[in-house]
Amino acid sequence: QALAAGNADKAKQYAMNPPAESPLLTNEFLAASMATNPITEIQVDEQKDFFTTSYTSASYKIGGTLIQGNYQTTKVGKLWKLNSAVATTDRPSSWGTFGVTINGTTAPTSKLSLFPGVYQLGTGTSLLEFEQPTFTVNEPVDYIAGISSTKPAVTDAGKKAMITKSQEWLTQCLPIQDLNPKDCGMNLQLSKDNTLAPGTITRTVTSPAPFSTSTPRVAYDDPKKITMSSYVTI
């Protein structure tokens, strides 16, 4: 009920060990998440008080999808506490230090902790997008399915920008009066004892639409690094 009401502070009080502070566990973040994909039809099975540990079954809907959960609880004094109130996982290595967002909020740089709910991954740029941006946390478990199996990929706009920049770069390289212009990927060889007369190099591209068929690739551990290879005949 605390989650359904968007009250993160109250929800954390039911945990035996309250989770560390996180921008993904605030009242504002939770309330916005519930407004989009509410938790409804909550039913919790009553358990008899025999021991200091117990399992409590519960069912509820997240964004219209029925979830059947089983929660381990521990008695602390006279109160029952949830052994875990949030799902926690390591930040995927494929994100690197890129500013990935979850429901519009920048994700922490180490551990990710989330209440049950539906979440949307974002990149903050039109040049990159997640292959499968939506994932669901059904209940507080150690593994969050869907968050580590998807990674940022180059969008059509990103590919177009990459090709355009590469073509601009090539255009700047062509007139340079140097046998091996720096970072241009082209190298002229003169026969022995010959020297280059200034202003005598003329380079002409004979490949049609250079880079247009190349495929940009995102580095495995750094989405800020995009590479693209192409052979250009000059």
Side-chain angles (χ1 to χ4, degrees):
Q1 294 290 357
L3 292 182
N7 193 334
D9 292 340
K10 187 174 183 179
K12 284 185 262 189
Q13 293 176 7
Y14 291 106
M16 187 167 62
N17 297 303
E21 294 297 319
S22 167
L24 308 180
L25 299 177
T26 65
N27 291 335
E28 294 76 14
F29 181 86
L30 181 60
S33 175
M34 290 298 108
T36 305
N37 294 283
I39 293 179
T40 59
E41 300 183 26
I42 302 167
Q43 294 185 358
V44 181
D45 296 337
E46 184 178 354
Q47 301 294 316
K48 293 185 178 180
D49 186 356
F50 287 127
F51 307 102
T52 57
T53 60
S54 180
Y55 283 90
T56 298
S57 299
S59 65
Y60 42 90
K61 285 186 176 181
I62 299 179
T65 301
L66 181 64
I67 307 297
Q68 301 281 356
N70 199 28
Y71 297 87
Q72 186 174 4
T73 58
T74 299
K75 195 172 186 180
V76 181
K78 294 183 178 181
L79 298 176
W80 284 93
K81 298 280 188 176
L82 291 166
N83 284 27
S84 179
V86 298
T88 301
T89 187
D90 291 327
R91 178 185 168 104
S93 59
S94 61
W95 295 5
T97 58
F98 192 72
V100 173
T101 62
I102 299 179
N103 285 8
T105 296
T106 301
T109 57
S110 54
K111 293 283 186 180
L112 305 178
S113 297
L114 292 160
F115 288 116
V118 179
Y119 299 98
Q120 189 85 7
L121 294 169
T123 64
T125 171
S126 63
L127 307 181
L128 292 172
E129 66 182 2
F130 278 90
E131 297 164 336
Q132 297 175 336
T134 303
F135 68 96
T136 301
V137 176
N138 292 333
E139 55 182 315
V141 292
D142 292 333
Y143 176 71
I144 303 178
I147 199 170
S148 59
S149 61
T150 185
K151 57 184 181 179
V154 180
T155 63
D156 288 342
K159 181 178 180 179
K160 183 178 180 180
M162 189 78 170
I163 292 172
T164 298
K165 288 294 182 182
S166 298
Q167 290 172 340
E168 291 174 355
W169 189 16
L170 176 61
T171 299
Q172 293 171 4
C173 286
L174 293 176
I176 297 176
Q177 294 297 303
D178 193 306
L179 293 176
N180 186 15
K182 184 180 178 182
D183 296 330
C184 287
M186 53 183 71
N187 186 11
L188 279 172
Q189 297 290 337
L190 292 181
S191 57
K192 188 177 180 181
D193 298 328
N194 285 335
T195 57
L196 176 68
T200 59
I201 292 180
T202 301
R203 295 184 178 93
T204 303
V205 177
T206 58
S207 297
F211 307 105
S212 60
T213 60
S214 302
T215 301
R217 303 187 185 280
V218 181
Y220 175 76
D221 57 350
D222 186 3
K224 297 191 297 293
K225 183 178 180 181
I226 315 297
T227 58
M228 189 174 73
S229 298
S230 182
Y231 288 101
V232 180
T233 304
I234 298 174

